[in-house]
Amino acid sequence: MPGPRESAPRSPAVNRRRALTAVLALAAGPALLAACGSGAAVEDTAPVGAADGPKINIGPDQHRVRAAKNAKAAALLPARVRATGELRVGVAAESSPPLTFYATDDRTLIGVETDLATLVADALGLRLRLEPLSWENLFVGLDSGKLDAVFSNVTVTEERKEKYDFATYRRDELAVEARKGTAWRVRGAADVAGRTIAVGTATNQEKILLEWSAENVKAGRRPVDIRYYPKTSDTYLALQSGRIDAYFGPNPSVVYHVNTAGRTQSIGRFSGGGDAVQGKIAATTKKGSGLVGAYAAALRAVIADGSYRTVLDRWGLGAEALTTSQINPPGLPRTH
């Protein structure tokens, strides 16, 4: 069975993996540094992981989970795509682990998104061609017809449904991350009253945190002290030094950091849509392209055969698994 294109042209993002590795090493502190202090050579392709957590392979030899061709799903492909023999999939070149990122060779694209795209291409009997692009150019690629799909942590929204079709493959989850060993848990507004929490600007988690803070004030509780940091490394340094109580971010990034740095834990998980709707991440294609039915059928096939869940578990994201793939489900509501 043909495999994905394992190499891609270098982009401005090729050094992000090394930068993140440095951040995780700093966050892990003496425990990780001690492991490198014996004088023995450390293989750059070795799996990463906290001492008490799962090991995650970030080397170029991924031993990817593969799926068998599903004739019924493949039959749903438009003839023009079937004739090319390939599936052109856009992924975010500047994404964070474990979504799509560069392996230790700074050339091979790896991550949960590339693994899921591989399964879909396999089920459709197509060769996968990955195209690493900036976020905005992913949608330009769909609009122009240069891409057949985007697998890049795209959340279904009512606004996006006007231009794109979606076949869901993961729950859109957010998570609160705090220092390891805390008994504090976050289930809603009251649990964050008076706490100092970092969040990314213009994100769904910021919107939820602002709503919680306003709810606390209305109820006579203390507001949330919201902090913003320009870099992920700054956020984790603030967390480890005690300058903030927690970080509220995307669940995949939190899970990866918890599993690799080993000094934090997830203390609460929430839908990316807040209370309005359970957010869903989906394979995205241009509306009317005729491809969404094939994607949904392929995803249902790999969900049924277990390869889908194996991929999610491999990256620590089993909690985001779906039981089926939906086409254009209710999305996050409009903001205006």
Side-chain angles (χ1 to χ4, degrees), residues 88 90 131 133-150 164 284-286:
R88 303 166 301 170
E131 297 287 351
L133 298 166
S134 64
W135 174 259
E136 61 275 10
N137 281 326
L138 292 173
F139 297 95
V140 171
L142 287 177
D143 295 343
S144 67
K146 292 182 178 179
L147 296 177
D148 299 312
V150 165
Y164 305 102
T284 308
T285 186
K286 187 177 181 180

Side-chain angles (χ1 to χ4, degrees), residues 170-173 251 255 269 278 308-309 312-313 315-322:
R170 276 196 296 111
R171 293 164 63 93
D172 177 15
E173 298 280 299
N251 181 64
V255 167
R269 198 173 73 243
Q278 171 58 57
Y308 161 83
R309 184 57 186 257
L312 292 189
D313 287 342
W315 295 101
L317 300 180
E320 295 188 357
L322 299 175

Side-chain angles (χ1 to χ4, degrees), residues 190-205:
D191 299 314
V192 296
R195 295 282 189 169
T196 302
I197 300 177
V199 72
T201 186
T203 59
N204 288 335
Q205 52 268 30

